[in-house]
Short mmCIF file of all heavy atoms in Angstrom, two decimals:
data_model
loop_
_atom_site.label_atom_id
_atom_site.label_comp_id
_atom_site.label_asym_id
_atom_site.label_seq_id
_atom_site.Cartn_x
_atom_site.Cartn_y
_atom_site.Cartn_z
N MET A 21 63.72 47.88 -222.82
CA MET A 21 63.67 46.39 -222.48
C MET A 21 64.03 46.21 -220.96
O MET A 21 65.04 46.65 -220.52
CB MET A 21 64.59 45.66 -223.30
CG MET A 21 64.43 44.10 -223.21
SD MET A 21 65.44 43.33 -224.58
CE MET A 21 65.36 41.64 -224.05
N SER A 22 63.05 45.51 -220.18
CA SER A 22 63.32 45.41 -218.83
C SER A 22 63.46 44.02 -218.31
O SER A 22 63.59 43.72 -217.17
CB SER A 22 62.23 46.14 -218.02
OG SER A 22 60.93 45.54 -218.36
N GLU A 23 63.36 43.00 -219.32
CA GLU A 23 63.51 41.59 -218.90
C GLU A 23 64.80 41.30 -218.35
O GLU A 23 65.90 41.79 -218.85
CB GLU A 23 63.17 40.75 -220.15
CG GLU A 23 62.93 39.30 -219.85
CD GLU A 23 62.74 38.51 -221.14
OE1 GLU A 23 62.38 39.22 -222.17
OE2 GLU A 23 62.87 37.24 -221.02
N LEU A 24 64.87 40.57 -217.35
CA LEU A 24 66.20 40.11 -216.60
C LEU A 24 66.66 38.75 -217.21
O LEU A 24 65.85 37.89 -217.52
CB LEU A 24 66.06 40.01 -215.19
CG LEU A 24 65.65 41.34 -214.44
CD1 LEU A 24 65.41 41.17 -212.92
CD2 LEU A 24 66.77 42.45 -214.75
N LEU A 25 68.01 38.68 -217.39
CA LEU A 25 68.57 37.53 -217.87
C LEU A 25 69.26 36.72 -216.76
O LEU A 25 69.88 37.34 -215.89
CB LEU A 25 69.61 37.84 -218.94
CG LEU A 25 69.04 38.54 -220.20
CD1 LEU A 25 70.19 39.03 -220.99
CD2 LEU A 25 68.14 37.62 -220.97
N PRO A 26 69.19 35.39 -216.79
CA PRO A 26 69.99 34.61 -215.66
C PRO A 26 71.47 34.67 -215.96
O PRO A 26 71.87 34.55 -217.09
CB PRO A 26 69.33 33.32 -215.93
CG PRO A 26 68.86 33.21 -217.33
CD PRO A 26 68.44 34.48 -217.69
N LEU A 27 72.20 34.91 -214.89
CA LEU A 27 73.68 34.90 -214.98
C LEU A 27 74.20 33.44 -214.95
O LEU A 27 73.57 32.70 -214.15
CB LEU A 27 74.30 35.64 -213.89
CG LEU A 27 74.02 37.23 -213.97
CD1 LEU A 27 74.45 37.95 -212.73
CD2 LEU A 27 74.75 37.77 -215.18
N HIS A 28 75.26 33.20 -215.67
CA HIS A 28 75.93 31.97 -215.63
C HIS A 28 76.76 31.77 -214.33
O HIS A 28 76.96 30.79 -213.79
CB HIS A 28 76.77 31.66 -216.79
CG HIS A 28 76.00 31.95 -218.09
ND1 HIS A 28 76.21 33.05 -218.92
CD2 HIS A 28 74.96 31.32 -218.68
CE1 HIS A 28 75.21 33.02 -219.86
NE2 HIS A 28 74.56 31.84 -219.78
N ASP A 29 77.28 32.98 -213.89
CA ASP A 29 78.12 33.08 -212.68
C ASP A 29 77.41 34.12 -211.85
O ASP A 29 77.14 35.33 -212.30
CB ASP A 29 79.52 33.53 -212.98
CG ASP A 29 80.22 32.48 -213.87
OD1 ASP A 29 80.26 31.29 -213.42
OD2 ASP A 29 80.66 32.79 -214.95
N ASP A 30 77.23 33.80 -210.57
CA ASP A 30 76.60 34.74 -209.66
C ASP A 30 77.41 36.05 -209.49
O ASP A 30 78.59 36.01 -209.67
CB ASP A 30 76.43 34.11 -208.31
CG ASP A 30 75.55 32.91 -208.29
OD1 ASP A 30 74.92 32.65 -209.28
OD2 ASP A 30 75.57 32.24 -207.23
N CYS A 31 76.71 37.15 -209.23
CA CYS A 31 77.38 38.40 -209.00
C CYS A 31 78.31 38.16 -207.94
O CYS A 31 78.11 37.67 -206.85
CB CYS A 31 76.32 39.45 -208.54
SG CYS A 31 77.04 40.97 -208.11
N ARG A 32 79.64 38.66 -208.10
CA ARG A 32 80.68 38.51 -207.11
C ARG A 32 80.41 39.42 -205.95
O ARG A 32 80.98 39.24 -204.99
CB ARG A 32 82.04 38.62 -207.74
CG ARG A 32 82.40 39.89 -208.20
CD ARG A 32 83.72 40.04 -208.95
NE ARG A 32 83.97 41.21 -209.60
CZ ARG A 32 83.62 41.45 -210.87
NH1 ARG A 32 83.09 40.59 -211.61
NH2 ARG A 32 83.89 42.61 -211.45
N ARG A 33 79.70 40.45 -206.09
CA ARG A 33 79.48 41.33 -204.96
C ARG A 33 78.33 40.92 -204.05
O ARG A 33 78.48 40.81 -202.85
CB ARG A 33 79.21 42.77 -205.45
CG ARG A 33 79.17 43.73 -204.22
CD ARG A 33 78.49 45.02 -204.65
NE ARG A 33 79.38 46.01 -205.27
CZ ARG A 33 79.05 47.20 -205.70
NH1 ARG A 33 77.93 47.55 -205.58
NH2 ARG A 33 79.90 48.01 -206.26
N CYS A 34 77.20 40.55 -204.56
CA CYS A 34 76.04 40.30 -203.73
C CYS A 34 75.54 38.83 -204.04
O CYS A 34 74.49 38.44 -203.35
CB CYS A 34 74.89 41.32 -204.06
SG CYS A 34 74.01 41.03 -205.53
N GLY A 35 75.99 38.09 -204.99
CA GLY A 35 75.50 36.80 -205.23
C GLY A 35 74.27 36.79 -206.09
O GLY A 35 73.56 35.70 -206.19
N GLY A 36 73.89 37.97 -206.61
CA GLY A 36 72.63 38.05 -207.43
C GLY A 36 72.87 37.00 -208.58
O GLY A 36 73.95 36.75 -209.11
N GLN A 37 71.72 36.63 -209.21
CA GLN A 37 71.76 35.62 -210.25
C GLN A 37 71.05 36.15 -211.48
O GLN A 37 70.87 35.37 -212.41
CB GLN A 37 71.14 34.31 -209.84
CG GLN A 37 71.82 33.71 -208.59
CD GLN A 37 71.23 32.47 -208.17
OE1 GLN A 37 69.97 32.26 -208.22
NE2 GLN A 37 72.06 31.53 -207.53
N GLN A 38 70.73 37.39 -211.56
CA GLN A 38 70.07 37.99 -212.68
C GLN A 38 70.71 39.40 -213.01
O GLN A 38 71.25 39.99 -212.22
CB GLN A 38 68.61 38.14 -212.47
CG GLN A 38 67.75 37.00 -212.36
CD GLN A 38 66.33 37.22 -212.27
OE1 GLN A 38 65.89 38.04 -211.37
NE2 GLN A 38 65.55 36.58 -213.11
N ALA A 39 70.72 39.69 -214.32
CA ALA A 39 71.18 40.82 -214.77
C ALA A 39 70.38 41.43 -215.89
O ALA A 39 69.64 40.78 -216.57
CB ALA A 39 72.68 40.65 -215.31
N ALA A 40 70.33 42.87 -215.95
CA ALA A 40 69.58 43.46 -216.89
C ALA A 40 70.37 43.45 -218.19
O ALA A 40 71.67 43.68 -218.19
CB ALA A 40 69.40 44.96 -216.55
N PRO A 41 69.72 43.26 -219.39
CA PRO A 41 70.50 43.22 -220.63
C PRO A 41 71.05 44.59 -220.84
O PRO A 41 70.51 45.69 -220.43
CB PRO A 41 69.52 42.80 -221.65
CG PRO A 41 68.22 42.95 -220.95
CD PRO A 41 68.37 42.95 -219.51
N PRO A 42 72.19 44.76 -221.61
CA PRO A 42 72.68 46.15 -221.72
C PRO A 42 71.97 46.93 -222.76
O PRO A 42 71.20 46.27 -223.63
CB PRO A 42 74.11 45.76 -222.37
CG PRO A 42 74.02 44.35 -222.96
CD PRO A 42 72.98 43.71 -222.17
N SER A 43 72.08 48.21 -222.68
CA SER A 43 71.43 48.97 -223.72
C SER A 43 72.26 49.07 -224.93
O SER A 43 73.53 49.35 -224.68
CB SER A 43 71.11 50.42 -223.16
OG SER A 43 72.25 50.92 -222.68
N GLY A 44 71.97 48.79 -226.06
CA GLY A 44 72.77 48.80 -227.18
C GLY A 44 73.31 47.56 -227.63
O GLY A 44 73.51 47.38 -228.90
N PHE A 45 73.55 46.61 -226.70
CA PHE A 45 73.97 45.21 -227.02
C PHE A 45 75.31 45.23 -227.94
O PHE A 45 75.48 44.30 -228.69
CB PHE A 45 72.86 44.52 -227.88
CG PHE A 45 71.57 44.29 -226.97
CD1 PHE A 45 70.58 45.04 -227.10
CD2 PHE A 45 71.62 43.27 -226.06
CE1 PHE A 45 69.42 44.84 -226.38
CE2 PHE A 45 70.59 43.02 -225.34
CZ PHE A 45 69.45 43.78 -225.42
N GLY A 46 76.23 46.21 -227.55
CA GLY A 46 77.51 46.08 -228.13
C GLY A 46 78.28 44.87 -227.63
O GLY A 46 77.96 44.52 -226.34
N GLU A 47 79.27 44.36 -228.14
CA GLU A 47 80.00 43.22 -227.72
C GLU A 47 80.70 43.59 -226.30
O GLU A 47 80.79 42.72 -225.48
CB GLU A 47 81.07 42.86 -228.56
CG GLU A 47 80.61 42.13 -229.93
CD GLU A 47 79.95 40.83 -229.65
OE1 GLU A 47 80.55 40.01 -229.05
OE2 GLU A 47 78.70 40.72 -230.07
N HIS A 48 81.00 44.90 -226.22
CA HIS A 48 81.68 45.14 -224.99
C HIS A 48 80.80 45.96 -223.92
O HIS A 48 81.26 46.59 -222.92
CB HIS A 48 82.95 46.11 -225.23
CG HIS A 48 83.91 45.39 -226.13
ND1 HIS A 48 84.66 44.40 -225.72
CD2 HIS A 48 84.22 45.56 -227.37
CE1 HIS A 48 85.37 43.95 -226.68
NE2 HIS A 48 85.07 44.68 -227.78
N ALA A 49 79.52 45.94 -224.20
CA ALA A 49 78.50 46.67 -223.28
C ALA A 49 78.41 45.81 -221.96
O ALA A 49 78.40 44.54 -221.99
CB ALA A 49 77.14 46.73 -223.91
N TRP A 50 78.45 46.54 -220.90
CA TRP A 50 78.41 45.84 -219.62
C TRP A 50 76.99 45.49 -219.07
O TRP A 50 76.02 46.22 -219.42
CB TRP A 50 79.12 46.67 -218.44
CG TRP A 50 80.46 46.60 -218.44
CD1 TRP A 50 81.29 47.52 -219.02
CD2 TRP A 50 81.34 45.50 -217.98
NE1 TRP A 50 82.62 47.21 -218.85
CE2 TRP A 50 82.70 45.97 -218.22
CE3 TRP A 50 81.09 44.37 -217.35
CZ2 TRP A 50 83.74 45.16 -217.85
CZ3 TRP A 50 82.23 43.51 -217.01
CH2 TRP A 50 83.56 43.89 -217.24
N MET A 51 76.90 44.18 -218.63
CA MET A 51 75.56 43.77 -218.08
C MET A 51 75.62 44.13 -216.61
O MET A 51 76.58 43.69 -215.91
CB MET A 51 75.28 42.41 -218.36
CG MET A 51 74.96 42.09 -219.80
SD MET A 51 74.76 40.29 -220.09
CE MET A 51 73.27 39.99 -219.27
N LEU A 52 74.63 44.70 -215.98
CA LEU A 52 74.72 45.05 -214.62
C LEU A 52 73.81 44.18 -213.77
O LEU A 52 72.66 43.80 -214.07
CB LEU A 52 74.23 46.49 -214.37
CG LEU A 52 74.95 47.57 -215.23
CD1 LEU A 52 74.39 48.93 -214.98
CD2 LEU A 52 76.46 47.55 -214.99
N CYS A 53 74.35 43.79 -212.65
CA CYS A 53 73.54 42.97 -211.59
C CYS A 53 72.25 43.73 -211.31
O CYS A 53 72.22 44.90 -211.15
CB CYS A 53 74.35 42.79 -210.33
SG CYS A 53 73.51 42.00 -209.04
N SER A 54 71.20 42.99 -211.47
CA SER A 54 69.81 43.53 -211.18
C SER A 54 69.66 44.00 -209.74
O SER A 54 68.88 44.78 -209.43
CB SER A 54 68.74 42.56 -211.57
OG SER A 54 68.78 41.50 -210.67
N ALA A 55 70.44 43.47 -208.78
CA ALA A 55 70.21 43.70 -207.38
C ALA A 55 71.18 44.89 -206.96
O ALA A 55 70.71 45.83 -206.36
CB ALA A 55 70.58 42.47 -206.62
N CYS A 56 72.40 44.81 -207.36
CA CYS A 56 73.37 45.91 -206.82
C CYS A 56 73.99 46.78 -207.91
O CYS A 56 74.85 47.57 -207.62
CB CYS A 56 74.44 45.18 -206.02
SG CYS A 56 75.74 44.31 -206.98
N ARG A 57 73.77 46.46 -209.14
CA ARG A 57 74.21 47.32 -210.33
C ARG A 57 75.63 47.06 -210.45
O ARG A 57 76.37 47.89 -211.27
CB ARG A 57 73.89 48.76 -210.14
CG ARG A 57 72.53 49.07 -209.65
CD ARG A 57 71.43 48.58 -210.53
NE ARG A 57 71.43 49.25 -211.86
CZ ARG A 57 70.63 48.85 -212.88
NH1 ARG A 57 69.86 47.70 -212.73
NH2 ARG A 57 70.54 49.48 -214.00
N GLU A 58 76.25 46.06 -209.98
CA GLU A 58 77.72 45.69 -210.27
C GLU A 58 77.79 45.18 -211.67
O GLU A 58 77.00 44.44 -212.13
CB GLU A 58 78.17 44.58 -209.22
CG GLU A 58 79.55 44.07 -209.43
CD GLU A 58 80.62 44.94 -208.80
OE1 GLU A 58 80.30 46.01 -208.18
OE2 GLU A 58 81.84 44.50 -208.80
N PRO A 59 78.82 45.71 -212.47
CA PRO A 59 79.00 45.12 -213.82
C PRO A 59 79.42 43.73 -213.68
O PRO A 59 80.48 43.46 -212.94
CB PRO A 59 80.03 46.02 -214.41
CG PRO A 59 80.12 47.28 -213.49
CD PRO A 59 79.73 46.83 -212.13
N VAL A 60 78.76 42.78 -214.18
CA VAL A 60 79.14 41.36 -213.93
C VAL A 60 79.75 40.73 -215.23
O VAL A 60 80.67 39.87 -215.10
CB VAL A 60 77.90 40.51 -213.55
CG1 VAL A 60 77.56 40.65 -212.09
CG2 VAL A 60 76.65 40.86 -214.37
N THR A 61 79.34 41.08 -216.47
CA THR A 61 79.94 40.49 -217.65
C THR A 61 79.62 41.40 -218.72
O THR A 61 78.75 42.23 -218.68
CB THR A 61 79.43 39.04 -217.79
OG1 THR A 61 80.23 38.45 -218.77
CG2 THR A 61 77.94 38.94 -218.14
N THR A 62 80.29 41.20 -219.91
CA THR A 62 79.95 41.93 -221.08
C THR A 62 78.97 41.11 -221.86
O THR A 62 78.90 39.86 -221.74
CB THR A 62 81.26 42.23 -221.85
OG1 THR A 62 81.74 41.02 -222.29
CG2 THR A 62 82.12 43.08 -221.11
N TRP A 63 78.22 41.82 -222.77
CA TRP A 63 77.32 41.20 -223.61
C TRP A 63 77.99 40.09 -224.42
O TRP A 63 77.44 39.03 -224.67
CB TRP A 63 76.53 42.19 -224.45
CG TRP A 63 75.52 41.71 -225.27
CD1 TRP A 63 75.38 41.85 -226.70
CD2 TRP A 63 74.27 40.94 -224.94
NE1 TRP A 63 74.22 41.23 -227.05
CE2 TRP A 63 73.52 40.68 -226.14
CE3 TRP A 63 73.90 40.56 -223.71
CZ2 TRP A 63 72.45 39.91 -226.03
CZ3 TRP A 63 72.62 39.74 -223.58
CH2 TRP A 63 71.91 39.44 -224.80
N GLY A 64 79.11 40.42 -224.97
CA GLY A 64 79.83 39.57 -225.84
C GLY A 64 80.15 38.24 -225.16
O GLY A 64 80.06 37.19 -225.64
N GLU A 65 80.73 38.44 -223.82
CA GLU A 65 81.12 37.26 -223.08
C GLU A 65 79.78 36.41 -222.63
O GLU A 65 79.84 35.15 -222.68
CB GLU A 65 81.79 37.61 -221.78
CG GLU A 65 83.24 37.92 -221.89
CD GLU A 65 83.96 36.63 -222.26
OE1 GLU A 65 83.82 35.62 -221.60
OE2 GLU A 65 84.70 36.71 -223.34
N TYR A 66 78.74 37.12 -222.35
CA TYR A 66 77.46 36.51 -221.97
C TYR A 66 76.98 35.64 -223.16
O TYR A 66 76.61 34.47 -222.98
CB TYR A 66 76.40 37.58 -221.60
CG TYR A 66 75.05 36.89 -221.09
CD1 TYR A 66 75.04 36.43 -219.76
CD2 TYR A 66 74.10 36.71 -222.00
CE1 TYR A 66 73.92 35.94 -219.32
CE2 TYR A 66 72.81 36.12 -221.54
CZ TYR A 66 72.78 35.75 -220.21
OH TYR A 66 71.71 35.17 -219.70
N LYS A 67 77.02 36.21 -224.42
CA LYS A 67 76.51 35.51 -225.53
C LYS A 67 77.38 34.18 -225.75
O LYS A 67 76.86 33.09 -225.99
CB LYS A 67 76.53 36.27 -226.75
CG LYS A 67 75.37 37.29 -226.91
CD LYS A 67 75.32 37.83 -228.23
CE LYS A 67 76.45 38.64 -228.55
NZ LYS A 67 76.40 39.34 -229.83
N LYS A 68 78.66 34.35 -225.61
CA LYS A 68 79.60 33.24 -225.89
C LYS A 68 79.35 32.12 -224.90
O LYS A 68 79.23 30.96 -225.20
CB LYS A 68 81.07 33.77 -225.70
CG LYS A 68 82.05 32.94 -226.42
CD LYS A 68 83.41 33.51 -226.33
CE LYS A 68 84.14 33.05 -225.04
NZ LYS A 68 85.50 33.53 -224.86
N THR A 69 79.10 32.47 -223.66
CA THR A 69 78.85 31.47 -222.60
C THR A 69 77.50 30.87 -222.72
O THR A 69 77.39 29.53 -222.61
CB THR A 69 78.98 32.11 -221.20
OG1 THR A 69 80.11 32.95 -221.13
CG2 THR A 69 78.94 31.12 -220.06
N ALA A 70 76.59 31.69 -223.18
CA ALA A 70 75.29 31.18 -223.47
C ALA A 70 75.16 30.14 -224.61
O ALA A 70 74.56 29.10 -224.58
CB ALA A 70 74.21 32.26 -223.63
N LEU A 71 75.84 30.50 -225.71
CA LEU A 71 75.95 29.69 -226.89
C LEU A 71 76.78 28.27 -226.54
O LEU A 71 76.32 27.18 -226.96
CB LEU A 71 76.80 30.30 -228.03
CG LEU A 71 75.93 31.40 -228.69
CD1 LEU A 71 76.76 32.11 -229.72
CD2 LEU A 71 74.67 30.77 -229.30
N GLU A 72 77.80 28.46 -225.70
CA GLU A 72 78.52 27.13 -225.38
C GLU A 72 77.66 26.34 -224.43
O GLU A 72 77.57 25.03 -224.68
CB GLU A 72 79.83 27.58 -224.54
CG GLU A 72 80.88 27.98 -225.60
CD GLU A 72 82.09 28.69 -224.71
OE1 GLU A 72 82.01 28.72 -223.53
OE2 GLU A 72 83.05 29.15 -225.49
N ALA A 73 76.86 26.88 -223.59
CA ALA A 73 76.04 26.09 -222.69
C ALA A 73 74.92 25.47 -223.46
O ALA A 73 74.57 24.33 -223.25
CB ALA A 73 75.30 26.96 -221.65
N ALA A 74 74.30 26.18 -224.43
CA ALA A 74 73.19 25.62 -225.32
C ALA A 74 73.77 24.50 -226.13
O ALA A 74 73.17 23.52 -226.33
CB ALA A 74 72.75 26.79 -226.15
N ALA A 75 74.99 24.73 -226.75
CA ALA A 75 75.63 23.76 -227.53
C ALA A 75 75.76 22.43 -226.73
O ALA A 75 75.57 21.25 -227.23
CB ALA A 75 76.90 24.24 -228.20
N LYS A 76 76.30 22.58 -225.45
CA LYS A 76 76.56 21.45 -224.66
C LYS A 76 75.27 20.69 -224.28
O LYS A 76 75.22 19.45 -224.39
CB LYS A 76 77.26 22.04 -223.32
CG LYS A 76 77.86 20.92 -222.55
CD LYS A 76 78.70 21.50 -221.42
CE LYS A 76 79.00 20.54 -220.30
NZ LYS A 76 79.60 21.16 -219.11
N GLN A 77 74.17 21.41 -224.04
CA GLN A 77 72.92 20.88 -223.79
C GLN A 77 72.32 20.07 -224.96
O GLN A 77 71.89 19.02 -224.80
CB GLN A 77 71.92 21.97 -223.46
CG GLN A 77 71.65 22.18 -221.95
CD GLN A 77 70.70 23.16 -221.78
OE1 GLN A 77 69.97 23.74 -222.65
NE2 GLN A 77 70.51 23.55 -220.53
N LEU A 78 72.53 20.66 -226.17
CA LEU A 78 72.07 19.95 -227.37
C LEU A 78 72.90 18.69 -227.65
O LEU A 78 72.29 17.62 -227.97
CB LEU A 78 72.24 20.88 -228.55
CG LEU A 78 71.22 21.92 -228.70
CD1 LEU A 78 71.58 22.93 -229.86
CD2 LEU A 78 69.82 21.37 -228.94
N ARG A 79 74.19 18.83 -227.39
CA ARG A 79 75.04 17.52 -227.54
C ARG A 79 74.50 16.48 -226.64
O ARG A 79 74.41 15.37 -226.90
CB ARG A 79 76.45 17.87 -227.33
CG ARG A 79 77.06 18.40 -228.64
CD ARG A 79 78.65 18.30 -228.51
NE ARG A 79 79.20 19.01 -227.39
CZ ARG A 79 79.49 20.28 -227.39
NH1 ARG A 79 79.43 21.07 -228.56
NH2 ARG A 79 80.08 20.94 -226.32
N THR A 80 74.27 16.98 -225.33
CA THR A 80 73.81 16.02 -224.32
C THR A 80 72.54 15.30 -224.67
O THR A 80 72.24 14.18 -224.55
CB THR A 80 73.67 16.69 -222.90
OG1 THR A 80 74.98 17.33 -222.70
CG2 THR A 80 73.36 15.63 -221.86
N ALA A 81 71.50 16.22 -225.22
CA ALA A 81 70.24 15.76 -225.49
C ALA A 81 70.12 14.91 -226.80
O ALA A 81 69.47 13.98 -226.93
CB ALA A 81 69.31 16.91 -225.60
N TYR A 82 70.82 15.35 -227.77
CA TYR A 82 70.69 14.70 -229.12
C TYR A 82 71.93 14.13 -229.64
O TYR A 82 71.92 13.49 -230.76
CB TYR A 82 70.19 15.80 -230.08
CG TYR A 82 68.97 16.46 -229.74
CD1 TYR A 82 68.95 17.77 -229.33
CD2 TYR A 82 67.70 15.72 -229.77
CE1 TYR A 82 67.73 18.47 -228.99
CE2 TYR A 82 66.57 16.36 -229.35
CZ TYR A 82 66.53 17.71 -228.89
OH TYR A 82 65.47 18.34 -228.66
N GLY A 83 73.01 14.19 -228.86
CA GLY A 83 74.30 13.80 -229.40
C GLY A 83 74.24 12.32 -229.87
O GLY A 83 74.72 11.95 -230.94
N ARG A 84 73.64 11.46 -229.14
CA ARG A 84 73.55 10.00 -229.42
C ARG A 84 72.84 9.76 -230.77
O ARG A 84 73.34 8.98 -231.57
CB ARG A 84 72.89 9.25 -228.26
CG ARG A 84 73.28 7.85 -228.23
CD ARG A 84 72.53 7.23 -227.03
NE ARG A 84 73.02 7.83 -225.86
CZ ARG A 84 72.29 7.95 -224.69
NH1 ARG A 84 71.05 7.30 -224.64
NH2 ARG A 84 72.70 8.52 -223.55
N ARG A 85 71.71 10.51 -230.97
CA ARG A 85 70.99 10.25 -232.18
C ARG A 85 71.89 10.89 -233.45
O ARG A 85 71.79 10.11 -234.49
CB ARG A 85 69.74 11.25 -232.11
CG ARG A 85 68.63 10.91 -233.00
CD ARG A 85 67.39 11.57 -232.79
NE ARG A 85 66.87 11.51 -231.48
CZ ARG A 85 65.86 12.27 -230.97
NH1 ARG A 85 65.42 13.28 -231.72
NH2 ARG A 85 65.47 12.10 -229.79
N TYR A 86 72.48 11.97 -233.23
CA TYR A 86 73.16 12.59 -234.38
C TYR A 86 74.44 11.72 -234.68
O TYR A 86 74.87 11.60 -235.91
CB TYR A 86 73.61 13.96 -234.12
CG TYR A 86 72.43 14.95 -234.16
CD1 TYR A 86 72.35 16.15 -233.40
CD2 TYR A 86 71.39 14.64 -235.00
CE1 TYR A 86 71.31 16.92 -233.51
CE2 TYR A 86 70.29 15.51 -235.09
CZ TYR A 86 70.29 16.66 -234.43
OH TYR A 86 69.23 17.48 -234.53
N ARG A 87 74.97 11.15 -233.67
CA ARG A 87 76.23 10.25 -233.94
C ARG A 87 75.85 9.00 -234.74
O ARG A 87 76.70 8.41 -235.35
CB ARG A 87 76.90 9.91 -232.58
CG ARG A 87 78.32 10.20 -232.72
CD ARG A 87 78.94 9.94 -231.23
NE ARG A 87 78.63 11.01 -230.33
CZ ARG A 87 78.27 11.00 -229.10
NH1 ARG A 87 77.93 9.80 -228.61
NH2 ARG A 87 78.13 12.05 -228.30
N GLY A 88 74.61 8.63 -234.73
CA GLY A 88 74.14 7.43 -235.38
C GLY A 88 74.32 6.20 -234.53
O GLY A 88 75.02 5.24 -234.79
ZN1 ZN B 103 75.11 42.07 -207.29
#
C-alpha cells in the first residue's frame, strides 16, 4: 500500500504534511513522514485524532438536526 495519508500535525523536522501508512497497522506502529522519513505519529494516535476530527465535523454539520 503506497497511498499517503494527510497528517493532522505537520512533520516537526521538515514541515511535511503527508505520511505513509505503517506496515502492519499495529497501534504502536510508527507512521513515517513521506518526505524525510521522520517518525511523526503512531497509527493508534493517528486513528484517534482522525476519529475525533471526524466526530467534530459531523457534530458541526449535523448537530443542529440531531439535537432537534
Ligand atoms: Zn518530514
Side-chain angles (χ1 to χ4, degrees):
M21 187 168 167
S22 58
E23 193 181 342
L24 296 177
L25 299 168
L27 287 170
H28 309 106
D29 298 306
D30 298 350
C31 170
R32 62 182 172 273
R33 186 198 275 179
C34 77
Q37 297 179 332
Q38 290 185 309
S43 55
F45 295 99
E47 291 294 306
H48 301 289
W50 282 101
M51 292 175 67
L52 305 180
C53 172
S54 64
C56 74
R57 315 304 289 173
E58 174 90 351
V60 280
T61 187
T62 60
W63 182 238
E65 276 298 308
Y66 184 84
K67 278 193 302 185
K68 205 177 86 183
T69 311
L71 286 173
E72 280 167 5
K76 196 173 165 189
Q77 258 180 9
L78 282 174
R79 276 197 301 274
T80 304
Y82 301 112
R84 203 173 301 151
R85 196 177 305 170
Y86 285 151
R87 228 175 278 133

